[in-house]
Amino acid sequence: MASPLPTVAIVGRPNVGKSTLMNRVLGRREAIVAEQPGVTRDRKEMPASWQGRDFTVVDTGGWLPQGAGDNASMDAKVSAQSEKSMEGADVVVMVVDSHAGITGDDEGVAGRLRGRAGPVLVAVNKVDDEAHEDLIWEFIRLGLGDPFPVSALHGRGVGDLLDAVMAVLPDEPAGATESEADAGMVSVSGQPGVDHPMVSVSIVGRPNAGKSTLFNRLIGDDRSVVHDQPGTTRDAIDTVVETELGPIRFVDTAGMRRRARIDQATEYYSLLRALAAVDRSDIALLVIDATVGVTHQDQRLVERIDGAGCPIVVLLNKWDLLDTEAREAIALDIDHRLHFLGEAAVLRVSALSGKGLNRLLPELRGVIAEYRRRIPTQAVNRVLRDAQAAHPAPDGARVLYATQGAADPPTFTLFANRTLPRTYLRYLERRLREAFDLGSVPVKLRVRRRSGE
Ligand code: GDP
Ligand code: GDP
């Protein structure tokens, strides 16, 4: 897939810390990091920036040489994806685990990479303190140049690694010619020539809320072409559905597909599963059983969705079963118990009959477009200057300069002379939200001290 930005692929065998590193580079969205080895994840592309340069990071999932691992067919699928992103990337960062030393799988990965034309950097992860820095020299044997010690978990050395990546990043992305970009995937945002990574949507909610019914209705249309894709864990299957907005990936649909129905035994399990799905998605659809109302679990889900920086669309399902009185009651319930949702859309639907669902795609279109907005640096700084003039931060604290680092969701990096109080950050966030009409999309602020402490 052609990308308008240069790409950096993060590769390595499972469990070396790729997703931790990816989150560190992105500076947001703590994904659930799995403890057991062999947990694979689908390929994910995310916008990032460093030293004012924008690029795309590609997480390739656990890359294993063909046939290795205890689930060869799943590994083969993931490996095929990983190889594709590796080949297309401008720079590859191979991650290894300093504690584990060089394993056979590492050698397999390195062997592939040595044949590559473009630059490859080796990040030796889990070097959590200086005492362990000597561990990196073993990895010279991989034949990929001097390794970089990093601790993805604590952030140690990641800046130096990114500096080195920037030094070898080409100015123009390799192979992303205009014609290729035009021939790319249908842009979900409707902006011609802008080829975004596919949007991921999770469908979450309590057991029995109607998620499967909803999902089957969404794919039930014969015109939608459905593909399965490996998801985070071995039993997670994502489904790509062709819609009028372009392809949309529905995350972790294993339990929702007609024939593949698995038993979502407990409420607790379903919550864990939903949280993992939310972490992998750009947008969450929260299905609430309107006959039950807003439960504690729904509230927890919403908090988590918000925390993951994921815009949300609420579906009040089983609307067909409610009488007028119940309809009024649930409206109040939503106001009281989900008030922190702000301006998120609430749709009244019946997944069973399909009533009300015609509003879902138009709603998604709006959310996706908002979510992907990029705001010019000058405009960001103008708004922050005005906001600070109207209401300065205490103790001489000041934002000196700011940029929008990422668009999905809008993430602003503020360079400040000292720590800014949380309440003040909320004030700035509100001003940015108002100025750029960001509606229900979560806005992330990152603060960096300019003194470099
Ligand atoms: P992936 O499979 O390569 O994406 O690996 P993960 O990012 O899921 O990390 C695997 C495990 O290593 C998790 O338990 C992480 O918490 C741990 N881990 C990742 N980075 C570091 C690090 O810098 N130091 C330490 N001590 N542990 C780390
Ligand atoms: P899930 O556990 O969230 O996937 O829920 P299901 O999709 O399996 O739905 C649970 C039950 O609710 C099933 O018996 C569905 O037929 C029923 N159901 C789902 N949506 C609706 C709806 O909009 N109206 C009515 N009356 N029943 C529904």
Side-chain angles (χ1 to χ4, degrees), residues 320-333:
D320 53 299
L321 295 178
L322 303 192
D323 58 19
T324 316
E325 207 178 319
R327 289 178 179 187
E328 281 165 13
I330 183 109
L332 281 178
D333 210 20

Side-chain angles (χ1 to χ4, degrees), residues 12-21 33-35 39 41 59 99 125-128 150-154:
R13 65 179 176 80
N15 226 33
V16 291
K18 292 181 300 301
S19 67
T20 310
L21 180 63
V33 174
E35 292 292 342
V39 170
R41 186 176 307 98
D59 177 9
H99 298 182
N125 191 30
K126 311 191 187 180
V127 179
D128 297 341
V150 299
S151 168
L153 203 57
H154 305 297

Side-chain angles (χ1 to χ4, degrees), residues 182-387:
D182 286 347
M185 215 178 261
V186 182
S187 162
V188 175
S189 69
Q191 289 168 265
V194 181
D195 185 19
H196 291 293
M198 195 189 307
V199 66
S200 297
V201 175
S202 54
I203 302 177
V204 297
R206 300 184 52 225
N208 229 35
K211 299 179 295 298
S212 316
T213 312
L214 171 74
F215 180 68
N216 283 305
R217 196 153 266 286
L218 291 175
I219 65 168
D221 185 341
D222 284 341
R223 282 165 304 172
S224 46
V225 184
V226 176
H227 331 263
D228 288 342
Q229 307 237 332
T232 317
T233 51
R234 297 202 175 224
D235 58 345
I237 295 173
D238 295 352
T239 310
V240 177
V241 179
E242 300 289 341
T243 73
E244 57 191 68
L245 305 182
I248 293 182
R249 172 197 293 269
F250 286 92
V251 174
D252 191 10
T253 44
M256 298 177 203
R257 294 292 291 280
R258 280 186 202 92
R259 275 175 292 273
R261 190 82 204 249
I262 53 166
D263 190 20
Q264 299 193 344
T266 65
E267 177 116 16
Y268 176 68
Y269 174 71
S270 95
L271 180 63
L272 284 188
R273 189 146 197 152
L275 294 178
V278 163
D279 281 327
R280 287 202 296 130
S281 60
D282 300 316
I283 296 171
L285 301 183
L286 173 65
V287 183
I288 291 178
D289 184 338
T291 64
V292 175
V294 180
T295 66
H296 182 62
Q297 180 175 327
D298 294 324
Q299 286 178 299
R300 285 192 55 196
L301 263 174
V302 167
E303 279 160 22
R304 176 59 170 262
I305 293 166
D306 200 44
C310 212
I312 184 168
V313 175
V314 178
L315 298 170
L316 285 180
N317 192 32
K318 310 195 187 177
W319 200 248
D320 53 299
L321 295 178
L322 303 192
D323 58 19
T324 316
E325 207 178 319
R327 289 178 179 187
E328 281 165 13
I330 183 109
L332 281 178
D333 210 20
I334 291 277
D335 282 352
H336 288 150
R337 310 192 70 168
L338 297 181
H339 55 89
F340 48 92
L341 269 179
E343 299 176 41
V346 178
L347 304 182
R348 291 152 176 82
V349 303
S350 168
L352 200 60
S353 72
K355 205 152 184 268
L357 285 179
N358 56 337
R359 288 180 52 210
L360 183 56
L361 281 185
E363 199 56 60
L364 276 181
R365 185 200 301 278
V367 175
I368 292 167
E370 262 179 58
Y371 186 57
R372 288 190 163 149
R373 275 192 63 177
R374 256 181 197 283
I375 298 155
T377 301
Q378 240 184 341
V380 173
N381 283 287
R382 200 180 53 237
V383 169
L384 290 178
R385 203 171 48 235
D386 292 351

Side-chain angles (χ1 to χ4, degrees), residues 50-263:
W50 182 252
Q51 295 176 344
R53 290 201 61 190
D54 293 330
F55 56 100
T56 302
V57 197
V58 188
D59 177 9
T60 57
W63 190 85
L64 281 178
Q66 291 281 332
D70 55 6
N71 183 340
S73 85
M74 173 63 100
D75 289 334
K77 267 198 204 169
V78 174
S79 291
Q81 282 190 348
S82 302
E83 288 204 39
K84 219 171 122 196
S85 21
M86 237 157 58
E87 275 154 25
D90 293 300
V91 179
V92 172
V93 175
M94 175 177 172
V95 185
V96 292
D97 181 342
S98 61
H99 298 182
I102 297 177
T103 70
D105 285 338
D106 289 333
E107 274 168 359
V109 176
R112 284 301 180 88
L113 291 175
R114 280 196 298 270
R116 222 185 97 88
V120 179
L121 303 178
V122 176
V124 181
N125 191 30
K126 311 191 187 180
V127 179
D128 297 341
D129 50 49
E130 210 177 316
H132 290 92
E133 271 188 9
D134 283 351
L135 292 173
I136 70 172
W137 299 112
E138 174 189 355
F139 294 91
I140 288 258
R141 277 208 294 118
L142 293 174
L144 294 167
D146 283 359
F148 291 79
V150 299
S151 168
L153 203 57
H154 305 297
R156 206 169 170 276
V158 175
D160 291 342
L161 173 69
L162 285 175
D163 285 347
V165 170
M166 292 305 113
V168 293
L169 204 63
D171 291 334
E172 292 297 321
T177 63
E178 219 164 288
S179 60
E180 261 181 72
D182 286 347
M185 215 178 261
V186 182
S187 162
V188 175
S189 69
Q191 289 168 265
V194 181
D195 185 19
H196 291 293
M198 195 189 307
V199 66
S200 297
V201 175
S202 54
I203 302 177
V204 297
R206 300 184 52 225
N208 229 35
K211 299 179 295 298
S212 316
T213 312
L214 171 74
F215 180 68
N216 283 305
R217 196 153 266 286
L218 291 175
I219 65 168
D221 185 341
D222 284 341
R223 282 165 304 172
S224 46
V225 184
V226 176
H227 331 263
D228 288 342
Q229 307 237 332
T232 317
T233 51
R234 297 202 175 224
D235 58 345
I237 295 173
D238 295 352
T239 310
V240 177
V241 179
E242 300 289 341
T243 73
E244 57 191 68
L245 305 182
I248 293 182
R249 172 197 293 269
F250 286 92
V251 174
D252 191 10
T253 44
M256 298 177 203
R257 294 292 291 280
R258 280 186 202 92
R259 275 175 292 273
R261 190 82 204 249
I262 53 166
D263 190 20

